[in-house]
Amino acid sequence: MLLLPQALVDGLLIGGIYITIAIGFSLAYGVMHIIDFAVGEWIMLGAFLGLYLSQWTQVEPLLLLPVVFVVFAVLGYLFQPVIHRVLSGKKGNPLLMALVFTFGLAIAFKGLGLTVFGFFSRSIPSAMAADSFTFVRGDFFVTIPVIRLIGLAYAIAVTLALSWILKRTDFGLAVQALAQNKEAAGLMGISAKRTNSWVYGIYVGISAMSGVLIGCMFSISAQMGGKYTVFSFFVVVLAGMGFLAGVPWAAFLLGMVQSFFLIYFDPGYTLLAVFIILYAVLLISPKGLFGKGV
Amino acid sequence: MRRGIFAFWLFIGLMAVVPAFVQNAFVLRIVTELFMWIGLAITWDVMAGYAGYLNFGHGAFFGAGAYTTAILMMRCGWTFAATLPVAGLLAGLAALLAGIPTLRLKGAYFAIATWALALAIQQLALVLDITGGPDGMRLPPFLHPVFFFYVMLAVAAVTFLLLWLLLERASFGLKLKAIREDEAGAMALGLNPARIKIQAFVLSAVPAGVLGGIYAFWITFIDPASVLADIITDQAMVMAVFGGLGTLLGPVIGAIVVFSFKTLFWAYLADYQVLYLIILGVVIALTVVFLPNGIWGTLTGQIQARNALIKGMAIDPAQGRHPEQGADSND
Amino acid sequence: MTVLKLVSVSAGYGETQVLWNIDLEVEKGCIVALLGANGAGKTTTLKTVCGLLPATQGRLYYNGVDITGRPVHETVNLGITLVPEGRQLFGKMTVEENLIIGSFLKRAKEHRARNLAWVYELFPPLGIRRNQIAETLSGGEQQMVAIGRGLMQNPDLIMFDEPSLGLAPLLVQEMFRVIGELHRRGLTVFLVEQNVHHSLKIADYGYVIENGRIVHQGEGKQLAADPTIRQAYLGI
Amino acid sequence: MTEPILRVDGVVKAFGGLHAVNDVSFEVGKGMIVGLIGPNGAGKTTIFNVISGYYAPTRGRVFFKGSDISGLPPYALAKMGIGRTFQVVKPFPGLSVLENVMVASLCRHPRKHDARRHAWDILEFTGLGPRAHDAAASLTLPGRKRLEISKALALEPQLLLLDEVVAGLNPTEADRTIELILKLRDQGISILIVEHIMRVIMNISDQVVVLNFGQQIALGKPVEVVKDPVVIEAYLGEEAA
Amino acid sequence: MKSAFAIMSWMLVALFLVLPQTAAAQRDYYKVGVITSLSGDLATGGNVTKRGYDLWAQTVNAAGGIEIDGRKYKVELVYGDAQSKPDQGASAAERLATQEKVDFVLGPYSSGVTLAAAPVLEKYKIPMITGSAESPMIWLQKFYYTFGTIPPVNYTGASPVETLAALDPPPKSAMILGSNDTFSKATAEAFQEAAKQAGIEIKKFNIVPAGQDLMSFMSVAKALKPDLVAFGGHDEELINLVKALLQINYTPKALLMHYGVTEPAFVEALAKNAEQVYGASVWTETVHAKGDYLWADAAAYAKDAEAAFKVPADYTQAGSTAAGIAFMAALGQIKAAPPLDEAEREALVKALEKLDIQTFYGRLKFAEEGQFYHANIGLSPLTVQIQGGKPVIVGPPSEAQSTPQYPMTPWEKR
């Protein structure tokens, strides 16, 4: 019981990380219907850019987030036409083709990462990494690590920013329109190619930024991608594929499951529980917890 | 078709005499592994190519088979041969139980659900005692290259033959394709999609389980990281897509090409291991972009296109005429 | 002056050719109707005009400019608007968002406020339901949104694909009233309809399409009077 | 009176709160052609989907040869002898024309060899023989409609549900299809047909059911129905009334 | 259909043709197979072993080779990448045995690969010394041809716990966790066993799935307030654990991990926060070891290693190099010139069993029986602690170069 407040807080904070890795992916899926196997690799590449930039400039890595975003957004923007070509292929099954294509990308990026960054695990040194707030009341206590709080704040900020863009700007409306009805969006003068490129750029940029945050909280290595890809997929599925507003809740749910299992049950079964819950949710409500997937 | 069957037996015959000429255990091992991948690629394609369902948990059937053989041999004292049917049956049973709820899902949902299930099974093997947890299980080394060569060849060949009979000769393949093309439409024609999909799922799982059983005895050591890893499904998928989906020969050719490339690279260019990943990744991506039908699909596609052209000219010579209007006679 | 001109245009989906050497013209300020049975190629014609489908043959001119092969988001920018069959609304957005997205392009954005007011004036129910989610509207209201969204694009040429489809008779009349109103405002209207009575009554000129070919054309009233046409294509 | 092939008894189908079909009752007697008409959105396709098992009725029953079939799945009904076509034609695009029909033939002829022969017979009958080996995707609309009928026929149905098989055809083709339908009727197959084109319905139907906004507004012989002012108003628009 | 089979047949024929056939039998150098994970999940460790093996080969060859009866024979390494997968390890073993006809093999990094490769080498009667396979599982299998220079974790794990228990006051309670892989789990179990022996109360013992976010778990530590937090895991997990403790702001009196803390990457990633972390090891560059082969002492080895690879050497690399030295010493004793035939390889195994030598790595002596069968029991397990950015030996007292710093300086005071 003593740990209940801490378990709740931990769940939220872990959830924050899941939001950061899944929100961009959810957007990309919602608009382009692409299941990107390389999401973890974008995170990995972003993390290493953050590491090298902060080593080179000696600037606090968290302050470099915008730089990482811009670099990867441009990369993603330039990359999208290739993906577009795969998705709009007339032959075969575009879903499968995109899956296999991004699977190939993920392998190539991982190989590239291993070549350039080597095998060793690293850590991005942030000045905030060791700070925390502790609240004590009687036997109860809650510790909130600053870096995780920043992660959560970042996650919420990105979520809010995305929903603001989607709701309040013409570009956002265009993105929504494209997600809901591609042909009609074209009739409104929305260029699917260009909008998709922007969306893909934003997604890649957000994922890369998440990598930097993850590097501040955990260790990073060229082989880290796969793990984050799995969780990114699962959060997006739980949320309802392409349903952006569901992402935070799905992420928090997963975070809570993890934190409660680690603290109250046999931690050995944590991941087993996570996968079974995911499977069960898919069976009961394929469109996610909220039944609102695109 | 008769010539096709003849060619198949010729191929099996050729392969069957290989050990008489090639005594090299390493070469036999490589080819044995190749047979295994052929088996996995064609069974994966049953769901992906014929039924239109991406099974991301195919490796779990393989792993279930491997663990069945290992557990029965090590914990119950069975002989290897006796465990294989059980490995197949158990994988089939798993497919039946998992398939009934999971096959209601479509597209990406099915893919991710099967993936989640496979990951859950891997986690289960990691926490159970009977599987040895992360330590895995060791089997008594038999290590007879020719024996495993023939066993693997036999299972792969029987699998191929079985699938060929069911999917290409008998009506099952046609039903499956009809469901792939349009599930709702197929129902109106008397097909029960749920049942046919389950049958296909079981059909793809049983050989995978048997192959897993052989693998366990062959390699003598299994653990959750090796037989229940994503990489098994991923590799079968890459092979099948590379070769061409929805055919039996496509995945076979894909398996041969991808596996040969991998093995040769591995054997001769070990110093460039990391480059291997980059090359493999880029090749996969480029294949998808430029050969979306795979190698075999592209080859036969061209043949089909040529045939269609010839036929089209015979039936409908006047360009721009409505094809329907000239179509009164039968052939 | 000819606003839209199709010269021997062919088009289709994949290997299936649907349109065969279509020639037609739409004069400025006129209502032109394209009539025909289900599957005759009416919708395909509209899609080809606005660039949703590429023409495999022939050329398209808009105000004398060759627009063959232009993608849809460019033709729209020239002032060609299509109100598609089956509404094609953005179902999860509100009525107002649907209308606003109509004025996405720069040429329309500057008139956004004015056009929005006009649309609400033209379709009073939309003003009341401006914050309602589009897919929860009734069929008639959805059609209003679709037309309103088209008007938000500030079009010079507006094309309707079966605007009366699935509407109760009273609403059908309402739709045609609105189309007439647009015409009075000086818009050029290209109309595809199954409801022959109404269409030919308001159309200045009509084309009849069958199996992807134009088989008859003439003044609206003249077509309406032709019994063979009524019999063969209109099923009456 | 003998039990009709098909009896629809007070069928209601609601989606959410919306009644797509509300209290529809009619019968199709053996060897009869019954026409089902009504404007777009009247619920014709919905009632088809209820009869062929795609939707379970919210209320009411459907009887086939006297036995209650409400709620049975489509494939069970197909096996019992109900064949249907789809308004939006649904060929299996990646399969050849012959294979498309074979899928249906398998229902009565489980051996592939027999099914192939049967499918050839059907294709000869419907005139699609020369296209047998082409991909179904390459057919034009009339061809697809013909294929749709071929598939339904391959089930050797006792009751055939035809959903707009004439719409979209030019007059010659339409006449050929009507001929085909009459030929089927003469073979003893009972037919329920949805059609837009009144001429078709009026010429071939023994009975006509008229729907409007989900309600059954008329039922009777074509000559009677066509005079019914309610029908004229609903179906042809107020102008024609 | 027919053409497809023709294509397939041709492809297979081509495959047979390009696969190397038997290598020439006569040669005047030792052909040494290296099976290790150069790619895949365990590539980090695999490449460390490779460096160790490479450094041995380079140094031997620079000195002219291995001297047998007055003649020097060079060594040539042939790599077989196990890709971190057991089956590929077995494949590699088969290739090295049949294609390359190697004289002996330097072994894999992980226990899974070792368990799959060892039976194959048994079959061909080829001796293997693995530089780094620390799971107790391997030695329980009693492979006749397989040896190891690094003792298993159940041999070494007790040492740091004993060192801590000897402190005054000693840690009274512990929380022990291990990642759910075979090495980490065995490590955690070894810690648990030693803690029980030492009378330290175990407040919590858990095996967690690999790669877990450990923050919540460290929250539990913060509530239970154990004096000792002990963890079995791989490199990235060790870094994650320290960062989790930092984030939750709990400094146990002692933080114990295993070999991993001596890896340069650990200190590099964590900098000042790596300070005072305990680990177990059998070698550091400061260990007192006088070598009779190639390097005179640990420091000399460390210097060469740094020069060769620009990275400080750790115990894995040293153990791998020592594996080469063991072969070299045994060969010298049986005086067998390359290539080795089956009888000579048999003799080599016998010589290895009898081997008892001093190297820069410490004493090499393989157990001839018991649960450590063929593992190196010549070394005394060391307790190390990161002090001043380097692993320093703090126990057992006979080997200690510095005193253990206990309790740990709280994170915020660093």
Side-chain angles (χ1 to χ4, degrees), chain E residues 332-383:
Chain E
Q333 287 177 8
I334 61 167
K335 302 196 191 316
L340 302 185
D341 58 24
E342 197 177 312
E344 286 169 318
R345 296 203 298 267
E346 193 74 21
L348 188 59
V349 171
K350 290 271 178 285
L352 284 171
E353 283 195 331
K354 295 280 166 288
L355 201 68
D356 190 350
I357 56 172
Q358 292 294 333
T359 70
F360 78 94
Y361 176 67
R363 182 175 166 228
L364 283 182
K365 169 80 191 103
F366 299 109
E368 284 173 80
E369 54 188 18
Q371 62 164 330
F372 301 124
Y373 180 77
H374 280 187
N376 181 14
I377 50 165
L379 298 171
S380 42
L382 306 172
T383 309

Side-chain angles (χ1 to χ4, degrees), chain C residues 127-194:
Chain C
I128 300 163
R129 300 183 182 277
R130 65 173 70 188
N131 289 321
Q132 195 168 329
I133 298 298
E135 64 187 3
T136 64
L137 296 177
S138 72
E141 287 162 343
Q142 289 196 9
Q143 188 64 56
M144 292 176 198
V145 177
I147 296 176
R149 190 179 63 181
L151 295 177
M152 291 295 291
Q153 289 180 285
N154 214 35
D156 298 325
L157 166 66
I158 186 159
M159 309 193 287
F160 292 97
D161 195 355
E162 311 257 9
S164 74
L165 197 70
L167 298 185
L170 218 61
L171 282 169
V172 173
Q173 275 190 328
E174 173 69 11
M175 283 309 141
F176 281 97
R177 178 190 67 79
V178 169
I179 291 171
E181 162 78 21
L182 299 181
H183 178 231
R184 271 190 296 284
R185 290 224 173 191
L187 261 72
T188 310
V189 177
F190 187 30
L191 176 67
V192 155
E193 254 301 340
Q194 278 196 329

Side-chain angles (χ1 to χ4, degrees), chain A residues 94-285:
Chain A
L95 170 73
L96 171 65
M97 288 303 148
L99 270 178
V100 178
F101 177 75
T102 53
F103 180 69
L105 276 192
I107 294 179
F109 284 166
K110 187 166 140 183
L112 195 70
L114 285 168
T115 316
V116 180
F117 312 132
F119 295 97
F120 284 110
S121 296
R122 320 280 185 86
S123 165
I124 303 178
S126 164
M128 323 284 180
D131 296 338
S132 60
F133 306 114
T134 303
F135 304 95
V136 185
R137 186 171 199 145
D139 282 343
F140 287 94
F141 69 88
V142 173
T143 309
I144 302 175
V146 169
I147 186 80
R148 299 257 178 158
L149 199 60
I150 293 173
L152 182 63
Y154 159 85
I156 293 170
V158 169
T159 310
L160 290 178
L162 277 182
S163 28
W164 184 83
I165 290 173
L166 285 180
K167 271 280 158 202
R168 295 275 171 263
T169 67
D170 275 15
F171 170 75
L173 279 182
V175 169
Q176 282 193 64
L178 201 58
Q180 290 173 26
N181 191 330
K182 203 174 154 194
E183 195 170 287
L187 288 173
M188 301 302 111
I190 297 159
S191 159
K193 257 187 185 167
R194 204 162 62 223
T195 313
N196 280 343
S197 291
W198 279 114
V199 167
Y200 199 75
I202 290 173
Y203 144 68
V204 169
I206 290 177
S207 301
M209 279 202 291
S210 309
V212 180
L213 271 166
I214 283 169
C216 293
M217 291 179 214
F218 307 109
S219 56
I220 58 170
S221 75
Q223 316 212 48
M224 71 195 258
K227 187 170 99 184
Y228 292 101
T229 303
V230 175
F231 279 103
S232 176
F233 277 29
F234 287 178
V235 172
V236 169
V237 168
L238 273 185
M241 298 187 75
F243 182 55
L244 222 53
V247 168
W249 307 112
F252 288 139
L253 175 82
L254 269 191
M256 289 295 173
V257 169
Q258 258 181 288
S259 109
F260 274 75
F261 250 89
L262 279 170
I263 293 179
Y264 288 107
F265 304 100
D266 186 338
Y269 293 82
T270 313
L271 287 184
L272 184 61
V274 166
F275 296 140
I276 287 178
I277 287 175
L278 179 84
Y279 179 66
V281 168
L282 265 174
L283 286 188
I284 296 161
S285 165

Side-chain angles (χ1 to χ4, degrees), chain B residues 168-171 174 177-178 181-182 184 186-193 311 315 322-324 327-331, chain D residues 54 74-75 78-79 90 92-95 99 102-103 106 112 120 124 127-131 133 140 143 151 155 176:
Chain B
E168 298 292 340
R169 277 299 291 269
S171 58
L174 193 57
K177 282 183 187 167
E181 299 282 316
D182 183 347
M187 280 205 280
L189 303 183
L191 302 187
N192 179 348
K311 205 181 296 167
I315 290 175
H322 202 290
E324 215 49 48
D328 275 327
S329 62
N330 287 303
D331 71 338
Chain D
Y54 281 85
Y75 45 86
K79 290 215 164 103
K90 293 192 168 192
F92 308 118
L95 304 187
E99 285 172 323
M102 276 172 68
V103 172
L106 285 168
K112 199 174 176 186
W120 271 116
E124 263 176 51
L128 273 176
R131 307 275 305 194
H133 292 298
T140 54
K151 282 156 74 177
L155 289 170
R176 282 177 52 190

Side-chain angles (χ1 to χ4, degrees), chain C residues 88-105:
Chain C
Q88 306 269 15
L89 297 186
F90 305 113
K92 298 192 165 48
M93 303 208 276
T94 65
V95 169
E96 185 145 310
E97 282 170 343
N98 265 284
L99 293 176
I100 288 193
I101 196 69
S103 57
F104 176 77
L105 288 172

Side-chain angles (χ1 to χ4, degrees), chain B residues 4 8 15 24-27 29 31 33-34 126 134-135 138 143 164 215 219 221 249 252 266 268 273 296, chain E residues 1 4 12 16 18 20 81 83 87-88 90-91 94-95 98-99 112 115 119 123-124 137 141 143 180 182:
Chain B
F8 172 75
M15 285 298 112
N24 188 312
F26 173 63
V27 175
R29 180 184 278 271
V31 181
E33 193 179 344
L34 174 59
L126 275 167
D135 296 341
R138 223 195 129 221
L143 297 176
W164 182 74
Y215 173 92
I219 299 298
F221 174 76
L249 287 170
V252 177
W266 170 81
Y268 294 116
Q273 270 310 327
W296 183 237
Chain E
M1 190 91 170
L12 277 173
F16 286 131
V18 292
D81 178 13
Q83 301 170 35
D87 53 359
Q88 297 310 306
S91 248
E94 196 111 54
R95 180 167 75 87
T98 62
Q99 306 289 138
L115 286 170
K123 187 175 115 188
Y124 295 106
M137 286 267 291
Q141 310 296 329
F143 292 115
N180 200 4
T182 178

